[in-house]
Amino acid sequence: MSEFIEFTEVREKMDDYYQRRIPFLFVIDYQKTQGLCLPLSEINPEEIQYSFGQSKQSSKSSTKLAIEVHPESYESYRDKFNCVKEQLKLGNTYLCNLTQPSKIKINWGLQEIYEHSHASYKLYLKDRFVIFSPETFVNIEDGKISTYPMKGTADAEKEGSYEFLQTDLKENAEHNTIVDLLRNDLSIVANRVQVKKLKYIEKIKTHKGELWQMSSEITGILRESHVRHPGKIFDDLLPAGSISGAPKAKTLQIIEEVEKYKRGYYTGVFGLFDGSTLKSAVMIRFIEKSGDQFIYKSGGGITALSDPQLEYQELLDKIYVPVF
C-alpha cells in the first residue's frame, strides 16, 4: 500500500502531473495535513480502487448486507449540540457541521462494500477505508471551475417529504448559507462566479430506503494564477464549506473543540485527473477500519433553527450503504 505523504508534497505532485497532463488520483484529508497523489499507471488495484460518475454497483453479492449500529448516546450528542447552539447564540457561527463516529458491525468487508454499492463517487483503500459519496466537490475543465454543494436531507419515503425539503425554513437556511459560502470560496480562485442552478433535489437509494438530497450548482472562470495549479486551488478551497460551516475559520475552531475526535480522511476530498478534466468529491458516506473495528462517520449542519432530536436522527439516517 502506498503510504500517505505530507499535504505540501501532494500539492506539488498535483501541479506537476497536471501541467504534464499525466492522469492521476489524489486524496486529501480533512485538515490538509496529508494524502496521496499517484499517477493512474502506478496504482495497484489490489490496494486502491476508485470510480467517478458511475452510480451503478460493480457486482451483486449473494450475501445480504447486515449492519448493526452502535452510535454515541443521544444524551452525549445533545451535549455537543448544545455547545454548538451556544456558539450560534454568541454569533461565532451561523452554520456548523457537527459529526460523530459510530461503531458498526457489518457482515461485509471494505472491498465488498466498494464492489456492491451504488454511488457517483467511490474509493477503496485496502484495510483503511471505503467511501461511497453522492457529493461532488469541484470539477475543473478548460479553465472553468464548478462546485455542487449538497445540504438538506429528507426521508423520501415519508409523505410530503419532497415539499418539506423545498419549504422547510431550517433546511433552506442551511442550504442558502452553504451556497453563499461556496460562492465566496470560489471567488478566491475564480472570476465571474455565479449560481447557475439553485436548490435542485435528487433521490438517493440506500439499503434502508430512499433519501432526498438538495444541491446547487456554482461556476466560475479560474484566475490566471490558478489555471495550471490544481494543488493551489485545493489548498485555497479546503476544508470544503459543506462539511465545515460559516464563517469557515471560526467554525473550524468550534468543530475542533466540540467534536472531540479526529475526522481524519472523513470529509476530506478525493479526485481524478484524466488528462483533460479534473473531478473531485467530498469524502462523506465513510466507513473506516480500525483494527478489527469498523467506524461509520456521519453528521449534519446545525443552525439556530435546528432541533437536537431531528439532528441526531439525521446522523443515524446517514449511516447507510447504497446497496439494493
Side-chain angles (χ1 to χ4, degrees), residues 26-184:
F26 67 94
V27 184
I28 303 171
D29 72 346
Y30 162 67
Q31 292 187 309
K32 287 193 308 185
T33 59
Q34 59 177 237
L36 293 172
C37 185
L38 297 169
L40 300 189
S41 60
E42 296 180 11
I43 292 176
N44 181 349
E46 294 184 0
E47 296 182 344
I48 300 174
Q49 296 176 33
Y50 57 90
S51 175
F52 283 76
Q54 299 175 4
S55 62
K56 294 183 178 180
Q57 63 194 40
S58 303
S59 62
K60 288 190 175 182
S61 175
S62 58
T63 304
K64 186 176 180 180
L65 176 70
I67 301 179
E68 185 178 308
V69 181
H70 299 275
E72 70 168 333
S73 68
Y74 168 69
E75 290 73 20
S76 175
Y77 175 83
R78 185 184 57 198
D79 289 343
K80 294 166 186 172
F81 175 94
N82 287 339
C83 289
V84 172
K85 266 303 189 75
E86 184 61 28
Q87 293 296 323
L88 287 160
K89 290 178 182 177
L90 293 171
N92 292 327
T93 182
Y94 45 97
L95 172 62
C96 180
N97 196 260
L98 178 60
T99 77
Q100 286 295 286
S102 297
K103 293 180 180 179
I104 63 170
K105 291 184 179 179
I106 190 166
N107 62 332
W108 289 0
L110 296 182
Q111 187 165 17
E112 286 179 284
I113 295 168
Y114 174 87
E115 290 175 350
H116 304 319
S117 60
H118 295 246
S120 296
Y121 307 98
K122 299 197 295 183
L123 177 66
Y124 160 75
L125 269 63
K126 183 179 180 181
D127 294 328
R128 288 178 172 165
F129 56 76
V130 66
I131 299 154
F132 33 92
S133 175
E135 183 173 358
T136 304
F137 181 49
V138 298
N139 291 339
I140 299 169
E141 184 175 14
D142 296 331
K144 179 181 176 181
I145 186 168
S146 304
T147 189
Y148 305 84
M150 179 180 287
K151 270 296 176 203
T153 306
D155 184 348
E157 297 184 353
K158 288 185 178 179
E159 185 176 352
S161 58
Y162 185 91
E163 292 75 15
F164 163 81
L165 195 54
Q166 287 182 309
T167 59
D168 181 70
L169 289 177
K170 182 266 176 185
E171 296 289 350
N172 279 269
E174 183 180 345
H175 191 88
N176 290 339
T177 298
I178 287 301
V179 167
D180 190 50
L181 174 61
L182 266 294
R183 183 177 59 187
N184 289 336

Side-chain angles (χ1 to χ4, degrees), residues 209-225:
E210 297 179 326
L211 297 174
W212 294 117
Q213 292 264 208
M214 184 159 57
S215 301
S216 289
E217 178 184 2
I218 309 168
T219 65
I221 306 300
L222 286 172
R223 298 179 188 275
E224 187 62 33
S225 57

Side-chain angles (χ1 to χ4, degrees), residues 9 16 22 35 43 51 63 98 124 145 192 199 203 218 230 235 246 255-256 287 300:
E9 189 174 352
D16 178 45
I22 297 173
I43 292 176
S51 175
T63 304
L98 178 60
Y124 160 75
I145 186 168
R192 293 160 54 188
K199 297 179 186 174
K203 183 178 288 184
I218 309 168
D235 194 5
I255 288 171
E256 181 74 15
I287 300 176

